Amino acid sequence: MADLTPGTREALLRVGTSTLTGVLYRRGLRSVFMHDVSPIRPETPRMAGLAFTMRFIPAREDKDAPGAPGRGQVQRTAMEECPPGHVLVIDARGDARAASAGDVYAGRLKARGCAGIVTDGGFRDTEGVFKTGLPAYHRRASSPPSPVAHHPADLNLPIGCGGVAVYPGDVVVGDCDGVVVIPPNIVDAVAEEALAGTLYDEFAEQEVARGRSLVGLFPVAGEEAKRDFEAWKRARSGGR
Amino acid sequence: MADLTPGTREALLRVGTSTLTGVLYRRGLRSVFMHDVSPIRPETPRMAGLAFTMRFIPAREDKDAPGAPGRGQVQRTAMEECPPGHVLVIDARGDARAASAGDVYAGRLKARGCAGIVTDGGFRDTEGVFKTGLPAYHRRASSPPSPVAHHPADLNLPIGCGGVAVYPGDVVVGDCDGVVVIPPNIVDAVAEEALAGTLYDEFAEQEVARGRSLVGLFPVAGEEAKRDFEAWKRARSGGR
Amino acid sequence: MADLTPGTREALLRVGTSTLTGVLYRRGLRSVFMHDVSPIRPETPRMAGLAFTMRFIPAREDKDAPGAPGRGQVQRTAMEECPPGHVLVIDARGDARAASAGDVYAGRLKARGCAGIVTDGGFRDTEGVFKTGLPAYHRRASSPPSPVAHHPADLNLPIGCGGVAVYPGDVVVGDCDGVVVIPPNIVDAVAEEALAGTLYDEFAEQEVARGRSLVGLFPVAGEEAKRDFEAWKRARSGGR
Amino acid sequence: MADLTPGTREALLRVGTSTLTGVLYRRGLRSVFMHDVSPIRPETPRMAGLAFTMRFIPAREDKDAPGAPGRGQVQRTAMEECPPGHVLVIDARGDARAASAGDVYAGRLKARGCAGIVTDGGFRDTEGVFKTGLPAYHRRASSPPSPVAHHPADLNLPIGCGGVAVYPGDVVVGDCDGVVVIPPNIVDAVAEEALAGTLYDEFAEQEVARGRSLVGLFPVAGEEAKRDFEAWKRARSGGR
Amino acid sequence: MADLTPGTREALLRVGTSTLTGVLYRRGLRSVFMHDVSPIRPETPRMAGLAFTMRFIPAREDKDAPGAPGRGQVQRTAMEECPPGHVLVIDARGDARAASAGDVYAGRLKARGCAGIVTDGGFRDTEGVFKTGLPAYHRRASSPPSPVAHHPADLNLPIGCGGVAVYPGDVVVGDCDGVVVIPPNIVDAVAEEALAGTLYDEFAEQEVARGRSLVGLFPVAGEEAKRDFEAWKRARSGGR
Amino acid sequence: MADLTPGTREALLRVGTSTLTGVLYRRGLRSVFMHDVSPIRPETPRMAGLAFTMRFIPAREDKDAPGAPGRGQVQRTAMEECPPGHVLVIDARGDARAASAGDVYAGRLKARGCAGIVTDGGFRDTEGVFKTGLPAYHRRASSPPSPVAHHPADLNLPIGCGGVAVYPGDVVVGDCDGVVVIPPNIVDAVAEEALAGTLYDEFAEQEVARGRSLVGLFPVAGEEAKRDFEAWKRARSGGR
């Protein structure tokens, strides 16, 4: 798959991860939402893009002493080669004892047009990372430099992140609640279905706010609710 | 017990959970504060009401496949039958791998005049939940639909939530630090005692801010502090 | 060691914990960043000062019943004797089931000119603690009074906090990402080196934002980057 | 369902939980093996029976003080009413801070002909429990009496145990590796299929021990292996 | 308190920790059983003695590098000065990433007549420790030398171990289920009460094994059971 | 590196992991002992060999449904290609919700002359695995088939196992306390040093058992102890 179509990207940025996980669940996909991975700030912008992966293994003193030759190469290559529009997803084994990346690396991804960065470990200098404007998701802040706990092993292999399998090229979407992974071969259909679901949710929220009962309305729409929804959609688009 | 008296409700909304757990501790109640349960946003309003409970057990594929008949019934009934002024408290076994509820359900509780919703799992679409205005407390956000991890078992039985026993009709109070449970038969006395304690705390904070030592002032008031407190109260109410 | 020099204190408040842990790592110090210890609010001010320590052990019913004589003495003494400019660091064994301190205690430290308070447990009445203006770092909010889980054992012994050894007189620095401990005998050199590193990071961030590659720039500066950095520093100081 | 047929019970006691979870997995059931639940001793006998359930909620001082009236009733009723041939399964919320049961209770179940006892908490006096001969599975030993952490809430409702849903009447099987739950409506077919699988596994183990490659043998049998298996079965039963 | 009386020591070695925690619970002591602390082998002998304590804090590179002067002193002093008949109890913060002690240290305690060793971390060379014959209780085996994670801070201060407060001179009792701490001022009465309870438990076990119902027998003895117990005791002592 | 020399292999099988981690610590290697990884049985034989690695990532429904094509290939290839004398080390992300391998796979490794199998997840049918005679180390038993939680990703890449980096060709040694990893370029020197250390430990154990003080004996040998040790060695080898 080359890249997300503009329509799909736009849809993924509009619908929430709750709607997407619902659509994926109905297709039999339950192991797609990362656990203990959140935006670094509540105001972090939404994120959508294809996955480019980096894998850490634990650091060991004979491989990761300060000044060990070539150690940082893999990380730097990740920042230089993650394609524009892609999300760098890092397997840190859920370990936030040392940083997965920091503000200069995040800044480089942003400057190169990447779509975001995700780790199940932690970022350092989260204030600086936030200022780059790159959507960033992690477990919790962690200041120590990465070799304190991590050895960068390789790029663009299938990994685990937040307990979820991420294959290079998978679609990765983030909002204030967390990060979901979508197989690329179904992403267009999933995005479309999610967009329709989002519209119905909006209708149901308004009805509920006006005092309507959930019976026949939510989570499953009854006949009357379906008719009302159609009317609501018509009214919304100016009666056309 | 029918409901909270207006005076007690007002008092519970004014004093903090730290004051309430202090009063309860002096009465021998130590296991009353939920652990790892926080408001979904720092700006979440305070909450006070009687508990209406819902219990989840783990999901199992033969009971909770997509489209399994009657699965959502219990949840929907909870949202329709939790009495106005009550708090829906959910036993999710501390499991935030899937959502305990979302924005439409929270909206229905709000529209019906309920006082809040609490889970030791997680809510989905927390932005939407926050917008309903219903006080909501959880462990962390979780987007996947509830059948990914939970099966709704029953309503209004005694449950555990955040490591604390919650009996239907218990009083549940939340602020920015978390959620405390109060036995209903002592709530009026506890609220009154807490209100008095809050006033003294306010006095002590001001004295301390002005440089007064803690000796004879806090946590136990000496004779001089008691006199000063009386004077402070008189001055505060206009010298009457 | 008497106290931090004004220059070192100022430097420590300006550089971040990510820069400091980097400098310490290059000197062979990796076990210096507290885990699961964060500011009580994102807006919490930065913190720097020498450590004054308090140690909790678990509470036991025969020693910590309500009204047990002399129980609160150690805590109150801590608040009265932690020297101005110092940070009170509390070993709570990572246990946030009960509070390590609250707003009146924090207010007293603030009034006495202390620099901050740190626990690997939790604070109660975090809204009140925040209002005192004292920098406060913990694991998570916890309302129950301390005797529910903690017995104050002693003051100013070496302790563990957030998995890090803290010796009385160690330098403790906090920012939005967490708290780092610095041996006092190297703090001046560390602060100076961190300040220089911060300047280079600022230069690198700007270059990266303008599209410059990381190669030869970061994390290791090549010859060209060094020359550009010198020029950038000159331009910055008005070409002098 | 009345009870296990003798043939099914015998089969379940002969095949291992690894074979059973394999058969259930092929039928779409993945959430059936309890986590962190093991036999109290390596020599604990195997177990098979229908589930009779008991549910604990957290203890609270106003309900569970020493001498609180009627507190132990539910537990004692469980030991007196769990039907012969059944397994008492206890939901202890994974909490082993206090005992779920001890040797006298286990002895009563044994004397009444019950098939076993399972908790995701802990047993006390495990030496005594072991001596009763009743198969017993738990998380780890825990001496304190149950009211230190648990309040017995009710009997024979659906519960969670070890992260798995257990409905009264479910089939519960244990061996040295742990405990699996089987829906009763498929247990005969599952037992039969597992028995056949066990035979093939035995054949494959022998072949492998003699140096045969896994290719075409395991986990999927090729044509040749199928023929060899048939011959092996014939030879085994005396060539008949 | 000088030491355990021979009668009390003998009683403590005969009754189990389950009986002792039961007696302590009825006296209001619930926080006395260590969590996640077990004998290193199932065949480990029972243990009873007064506590002599050692406290670890986390290791730090500037204090605990290989060859750091005087580092091992505190540990060695513990082994040389823990009085005969006492139990060395180690606060390892529940951290088993490095050893708390090994076989040579355990051997020295044994040779000096000490009663046991307990840590909430781990022992190294558990085979050697077991061979010394000294009762040893820990969380799990851990081979790395202690400075990898621990710095020995001091001796004979109050500590936490397995989540329980241990004061020097407390009575420490261990069996196959774990370790309980008893305040020394009540130990004689507790031991006596436990011995009586053990006798009744033995009677109840035998009755239950013969098919007697729990009603009126256990946990609370009814009138008839009391009479039967007296008869059983007489019969047991030869009818005298 | 081709393989272990017979002398080194023999030495590694004789010395314990506690001695080896001690030697490695003195060479600056602290992150070499796997955490929460134990032999499946206390009687499991010791293990030494070079590492051959397999990596699991989390299972996902679209890749790991029952019958997904080619899924088991990687696992089977591991069992067929792990060289004789090598240890198969599996990165299971510490996840024991499903099996890493079972008895037939272990049997094939044994038949092919492999030296052991290690996972930081769990094995199924541990009784069968034990019967093969292959040294096996894991976190805890786990019956469910691997696709319930794991997807086999690749062979012979650097991995993490039990929190330790394992590179293909590293030396892996196991005893009853756990598993240690040794860089191959230093293994001969490490084995030799460990053998010498083991001899001194044996001497010290005997001296301590006879009542000798630790001062000047252990952990650091004084002049007198050194002379005694030489005499002890001479006496031991028949005075030659």
Side-chain angles (χ1 to χ4, degrees):
Chain A
M1 184 194 196
D3 202 349
L4 290 171
T5 67
T8 291
R9 185 181 296 268
E10 194 188 338
L12 295 175
L13 287 170
R14 193 170 152 212
V15 304
T17 57
S18 62
T19 307
L20 289 167
T21 51
V23 172
L24 292 166
Y25 171 68
R26 286 192 294 273
R27 289 166 179 259
L29 287 156
R30 287 150 306 139
S31 307
V32 292
F33 186 74
M34 295 183 185
H35 294 292
D36 260 326
V37 172
S38 318
I40 54 169
R41 296 279 170 95
E43 318 89 75
T44 295
R46 290 190 168 191
M47 173 186 80
L50 302 189
F52 183 93
T53 67
M54 178 165 71
R55 185 168 74 99
F56 281 131
I57 61 170
R60 209 170 71 187
E61 288 78 9
D62 59 331
K63 304 279 185 183
D64 300 282
R71 215 208 141 272
Q73 212 95 336
V74 170
Q75 276 165 294
R76 210 178 53 200
T77 303
M79 308 305 153
E80 294 293 342
E81 299 194 355
C82 177
H86 280 56
V87 173
L88 179 63
V89 185
I90 302 170
D91 177 345
R93 311 173 316 285
D95 187 344
R97 288 175 306 150
S100 293
D103 67 331
V104 181
Y105 281 168
R108 181 62 181 148
L109 290 176
K110 177 70 182 176
R112 291 186 49 256
C114 297
I117 186 168
V118 177
T119 181
D120 58 1
F123 295 118
R124 62 197 316 229
D125 194 351
T126 54
E127 196 176 331
V129 172
F130 181 70
K131 277 182 188 158
T132 67
L134 187 77
Y137 295 77
H138 69 167
R139 184 169 179 178
R140 66 165 188 265
S142 181
S143 296
S146 71
V148 163
H150 301 303
H151 178 91
D154 38 47
L155 300 178
N156 245 3
L157 290 181
I159 58 169
C161 183
V164 175
V166 182
Y167 293 79
D170 279 348
V171 182
V172 180
V173 179
D175 67 6
C176 68
D177 290 338
V179 177
V180 63
V181 177
I182 306 170
N185 59 316
I186 57 169
V187 69
D188 291 329
V190 166
E192 195 177 348
E193 193 178 332
L195 207 51
T198 296
L199 207 58
Y200 186 81
D201 282 5
E202 216 176 295
F203 162 73
E205 281 155 27
Q206 291 186 10
E207 290 294 292
V208 157
R210 285 154 53 175
R212 184 167 181 167
S213 158
L214 295 168
V215 182
L217 177 72
F218 189 87
V220 182
E223 281 315 307
E224 198 184 329
K226 279 177 185 164
R227 279 195 304 273
D228 294 348
F229 178 45
E230 292 307 317
W232 178 85
K233 283 196 289 188
R234 278 195 305 275
R236 205 171 182 253
S237 56
R240 280 164 298 185
Chain B
M1 182 190 199
D3 202 348
L4 291 171
T5 67
T8 290
R9 184 182 295 270
E10 193 188 337
L12 294 175
L13 287 170
R14 190 169 153 213
V15 305
T17 57
S18 62
T19 306
L20 289 168
T21 51
V23 171
L24 292 166
Y25 170 69
R26 285 192 294 275
R27 289 165 178 260
L29 288 155
R30 288 149 304 140
S31 307
V32 292
F33 185 75
M34 295 184 185
H35 294 293
D36 259 328
V37 172
S38 319
I40 55 167
R41 295 280 171 95
E43 317 89 74
T44 295
R46 289 189 169 192
M47 172 186 81
L50 302 189
F52 183 93
T53 67
M54 178 166 70
R55 186 169 72 101
F56 281 131
I57 60 169
R60 209 171 69 187
E61 288 77 10
D62 59 331
K63 304 278 185 183
D64 300 283
R71 214 208 141 272
Q73 212 96 334
V74 171
Q75 276 165 294
R76 210 177 54 200
T77 304
M79 308 307 153
E80 294 291 343
E81 300 194 354
C82 177
H86 280 55
V87 174
L88 178 64
V89 185
I90 303 169
D91 177 346
R93 311 172 318 284
D95 187 345
R97 287 175 305 150
S100 293
D103 66 333
V104 181
Y105 281 168
R108 180 62 180 149
L109 290 175
K110 179 69 182 175
R112 291 186 49 256
C114 297
I117 186 168
V118 177
T119 181
D120 58 1
F123 296 119
R124 63 196 316 230
D125 194 351
T126 55
E127 196 176 331
V129 172
F130 181 71
K131 278 184 188 155
T132 67
L134 186 77
Y137 295 76
H138 70 166
R139 184 169 180 178
R140 66 165 189 266
S142 181
S143 296
S146 72
V148 164
H150 301 303
H151 177 92
D154 39 46
L155 299 178
N156 245 4
L157 290 180
I159 59 169
C161 184
V164 176
V166 182
Y167 293 78
D170 280 347
V171 182
V172 180
V173 179
D175 67 5
C176 68
D177 289 339
V179 177
V180 63
V181 176
I182 307 170
N185 59 317
I186 58 170
V187 68
D188 292 328
V190 166
E192 195 177 347
E193 193 179 330
L195 206 52
T198 295
L199 207 60
Y200 186 81
D201 281 5
E202 215 176 296
F203 162 72
E205 282 155 27
Q206 290 185 11
E207 289 295 290
V208 157
R210 283 154 54 175
R212 186 167 180 166
S213 159
L214 296 169
V215 182
L217 178 72
F218 190 88
V220 183
E223 282 315 306
E224 198 184 328
K226 279 176 184 163
R227 281 194 303 273
D228 295 348
F229 178 45
E230 293 307 317
W232 177 85
K233 282 195 288 189
R234 280 195 304 276
R236 205 168 181 257
S237 55
R240 279 164 300 186
Chain C
M1 183 191 197
D3 202 349
L4 290 171
T5 66
T8 290
R9 185 182 296 267
E10 193 188 338
L12 295 175
L13 287 170
R14 192 172 151 210
V15 304
T17 58
S18 62
T19 306
L20 289 168
T21 52
V23 171
L24 292 165
Y25 171 68
R26 285 191 295 273
R27 287 166 179 261
L29 288 155
R30 286 150 306 142
S31 307
V32 292
F33 185 76
M34 295 183 185
H35 294 292
D36 258 327
V37 172
S38 318
I40 54 168
R41 295 279 170 96
E43 320 87 75
T44 295
R46 290 189 168 192
M47 171 186 81
L50 303 189
F52 183 92
T53 67
M54 177 166 70
R55 185 169 73 99
F56 281 130
I57 60 169
R60 209 170 70 187
E61 288 78 9
D62 59 332
K63 304 279 184 182
D64 300 282
R71 214 209 141 272
Q73 212 95 334
V74 170
Q75 276 166 294
R76 211 176 53 199
T77 304
M79 309 305 153
E80 295 292 342
E81 299 194 354
C82 176
H86 281 55
V87 173
L88 178 64
V89 185
I90 303 169
D91 177 345
R93 312 173 317 284
D95 187 344
R97 287 175 304 149
S100 293
D103 67 333
V104 181
Y105 281 169
R108 180 62 180 148
L109 289 176
K110 178 70 181 175
R112 291 186 51 256
C114 296
I117 187 168
V118 178
T119 181
D120 58 1
F123 295 118
R124 62 196 318 230
D125 194 352
T126 54
E127 195 176 332
V129 172
F130 181 70
K131 278 183 187 157
T132 67
L134 187 77
Y137 294 76
H138 69 165
R139 184 167 178 177
R140 66 165 189 265
S142 180
S143 296
S146 70
V148 164
H150 302 303
H151 178 91
D154 38 47
L155 300 177
N156 246 2
L157 290 180
I159 59 169
C161 183
V164 175
V166 182
Y167 293 78
D170 280 347
V171 183
V172 180
V173 179
D175 67 6
C176 67
D177 290 338
V179 177
V180 63
V181 177
I182 307 170
N185 59 317
I186 57 169
V187 69
D188 291 329
V190 165
E192 194 176 348
E193 194 178 330
L195 207 52
T198 296
L199 207 59
Y200 187 80
D201 282 5
E202 215 176 296
F203 161 73
E205 282 155 27
Q206 291 186 10
E207 289 295 292
V208 157
R210 284 155 52 175
R212 185 166 180 168
S213 158
L214 296 168
V215 182
L217 177 71
F218 191 88
V220 183
E223 282 314 306
E224 199 184 328
K226 280 175 184 167
R227 279 194 304 273
D228 295 349
F229 178 45
E230 292 307 315
W232 177 85
K233 282 196 288 189
R234 278 193 305 275
R236 205 169 183 257
S237 56
R240 282 164 297 185
Chain D
M1 183 191 197
D3 201 348
L4 289 172
T5 68
T8 290
R9 185 182 296 267
E10 193 188 338
L12 295 175
L13 287 170
R14 189 165 156 220
V15 304
T17 57
S18 62
T19 306
L20 288 168
T21 50
V23 171
L24 292 166
Y25 171 68
R26 286 193 292 275
R27 288 164 180 261
L29 287 155
R30 287 150 304 141
S31 307
V32 291
F33 186 75
M34 295 184 185
H35 294 292
D36 259 328
V37 172
S38 318
I40 55 168
R41 293 281 170 96
E43 318 89 75
T44 295
R46 288 189 170 194
M47 172 186 80
L50 302 190
F52 183 92
T53 67
M54 178 166 68
R55 185 169 72 100
F56 281 130
I57 60 169
R60 208 170 70 187
E61 289 76 12
D62 58 333
K63 305 278 184 182
D64 300 282
R71 213 208 142 272
Q73 211 96 335
V74 170
Q75 276 165 294
R76 211 177 51 199
T77 304
M79 308 306 153
E80 294 292 343
E81 300 194 353
C82 176
H86 281 55
V87 174
L88 179 62
V89 185
I90 303 170
D91 177 345
R93 312 174 316 283
D95 187 345
R97 287 175 305 149
S100 293
D103 67 333
V104 181
Y105 281 169
R108 180 62 181 149
L109 290 176
K110 178 70 183 173
R112 292 187 48 258
C114 297
I117 186 168
V118 178
T119 180
D120 57 2
F123 295 118
R124 61 196 319 229
D125 194 352
T126 55
E127 197 176 330
V129 173
F130 181 71
K131 278 183 188 156
T132 66
L134 187 78
Y137 294 77
H138 69 166
R139 184 170 178 176
R140 65 165 191 266
S142 180
S143 296
S146 70
V148 164
H150 301 303
H151 177 91
D154 39 47
L155 300 177
N156 244 4
L157 290 182
I159 59 170
C161 184
V164 175
V166 183
Y167 293 79
D170 280 348
V171 183
V172 180
V173 179
D175 67 6
C176 68
D177 290 338
V179 177
V180 63
V181 177
I182 308 171
N185 59 317
I186 58 170
V187 70
D188 293 328
V190 165
E192 194 176 350
E193 193 178 332
L195 207 51
T198 296
L199 207 59
Y200 186 81
D201 282 4
E202 217 176 294
F203 162 73
E205 281 156 27
Q206 290 186 11
E207 289 295 291
V208 157
R210 284 154 53 176
R212 186 166 178 167
S213 158
L214 296 168
V215 181
L217 178 72
F218 189 88
V220 183
E223 281 315 307
E224 200 184 326
K226 280 176 184 164
R227 280 194 304 272
D228 295 348
F229 178 45
E230 292 307 317
W232 177 85
K233 281 195 291 188
R234 279 192 307 272
R236 205 168 182 259
S237 55
R240 280 163 300 185
Chain E
M1 182 190 199
D3 202 348
L4 289 171
T5 67
T8 290
R9 185 183 296 269
E10 193 188 337
L12 295 175
L13 286 170
R14 191 169 153 215
V15 305
T17 57
S18 62
T19 306
L20 289 168
T21 50
V23 171
L24 292 166
Y25 171 68
R26 287 192 292 276
R27 289 165 179 261
L29 287 155
R30 287 150 304 139
S31 307
V32 292
F33 185 74
M34 294 183 186
H35 295 293
D36 259 327
V37 172
S38 319
I40 55 168
R41 294 280 170 97
E43 319 89 75
T44 294
R46 288 189 170 194
M47 173 187 79
L50 303 189
F52 182 92
T53 66
M54 178 166 69
R55 185 168 72 100
F56 281 130
I57 60 169
R60 208 170 71 185
E61 289 77 10
D62 59 332
K63 304 279 184 183
D64 300 282
R71 215 208 141 271
Q73 212 96 335
V74 170
Q75 276 165 295
R76 211 176 53 198
T77 304
M79 308 306 152
E80 294 293 341
E81 300 194 353
C82 177
H86 280 54
V87 174
L88 179 62
V89 185
I90 303 170
D91 177 346
R93 311 173 317 284
D95 187 345
R97 287 175 305 149
S100 292
D103 67 333
V104 181
Y105 282 168
R108 180 63 181 148
L109 290 175
K110 178 70 182 174
R112 293 187 48 256
C114 297
I117 187 168
V118 178
T119 181
D120 57 1
F123 296 118
R124 62 196 316 227
D125 194 351
T126 55
E127 195 177 331
V129 172
F130 180 71
K131 278 184 188 156
T132 67
L134 186 77
Y137 294 77
H138 70 168
R139 183 168 180 178
R140 66 165 189 266
S142 179
S143 297
S146 70
V148 163
H150 301 304
H151 178 92
D154 39 46
L155 299 177
N156 245 5
L157 290 180
I159 59 169
C161 184
V164 175
V166 182
Y167 293 78
D170 280 347
V171 183
V172 181
V173 179
D175 67 6
C176 68
D177 290 339
V179 178
V180 64
V181 177
I182 307 170
N185 58 317
I186 57 170
V187 69
D188 292 328
V190 166
E192 195 177 346
E193 193 178 332
L195 208 50
T198 295
L199 208 59
Y200 186 81
D201 282 4
E202 217 176 295
F203 161 73
E205 281 156 28
Q206 290 185 11
E207 290 295 291
V208 158
R210 284 154 53 176
R212 185 167 180 165
S213 158
L214 296 169
V215 181
L217 177 72
F218 190 88
V220 182
E223 283 314 307
E224 199 183 328
K226 279 177 185 164
R227 280 194 304 271
D228 295 348
F229 178 45
E230 292 307 318
W232 177 85
K233 281 195 290 188
R234 280 193 304 274
R236 204 169 183 256
S237 56
R240 281 162 300 185
Chain F
M1 183 190 198
D3 202 348
L4 290 171
T5 67
T8 290
R9 184 182 297 266
E10 193 188 337
L12 295 175
L13 287 169
R14 189 167 155 217
V15 304
T17 57
S18 62
T19 307
L20 289 168
T21 51
V23 172
L24 292 166
Y25 171 68
R26 287 192 292 276
R27 290 167 178 258
L29 286 155
R30 287 151 304 141
S31 307
V32 292
F33 185 74
M34 294 183 185
H35 295 293
D36 260 327
V37 172
S38 318
I40 54 168
R41 295 280 170 96
E43 319 89 75
T44 295
R46 288 191 170 191
M47 172 186 80
L50 303 190
F52 183 91
T53 66
M54 178 166 69
R55 185 169 73 99
F56 281 130
I57 61 169
R60 208 171 70 187
E61 288 76 10
D62 58 333
K63 304 278 184 182
D64 299 282
R71 214 208 141 272
Q73 211 95 335
V74 170
Q75 275 165 294
R76 211 177 53 199
T77 303
M79 308 306 153
E80 294 293 341
E81 299 194 355
C82 176
H86 281 55
V87 174
L88 179 62
V89 185
I90 302 170
D91 177 345
R93 311 173 318 282
D95 186 345
R97 287 175 304 149
S100 293
D103 67 333
V104 182
Y105 281 167
R108 180 63 180 148
L109 289 175
K110 178 69 181 174
R112 291 187 49 256
C114 297
I117 187 168
V118 178
T119 182
D120 57 2
F123 295 119
R124 61 196 317 228
D125 195 351
T126 56
E127 196 176 331
V129 172
F130 180 70
K131 278 183 188 157
T132 67
L134 187 78
Y137 295 77
H138 69 167
R139 184 170 179 177
R140 66 166 189 264
S142 180
S143 296
S146 70
V148 164
H150 301 303
H151 178 91
D154 38 47
L155 300 177
N156 247 2
L157 290 181
I159 59 170
C161 183
V164 175
V166 182
Y167 293 79
D170 279 348
V171 183
V172 180
V173 179
D175 67 6
C176 68
D177 290 340
V179 177
V180 63
V181 176
I182 308 170
N185 57 315
I186 58 170
V187 70
D188 292 327
V190 165
E192 195 176 348
E193 194 178 331
L195 207 52
T198 295
L199 207 60
Y200 186 81
D201 281 5
E202 216 176 295
F203 161 74
E205 281 155 27
Q206 291 186 10
E207 289 295 290
V208 158
R210 285 154 53 176
R212 185 166 180 166
S213 158
L214 295 169
V215 181
L217 178 72
F218 189 88
V220 182
E223 282 313 308
E224 199 183 328
K226 279 176 185 165
R227 280 195 304 272
D228 295 348
F229 178 44
E230 292 306 318
W232 178 85
K233 282 195 290 188
R234 279 194 304 274
R236 201 169 186 256
S237 55
R240 282 163 299 184

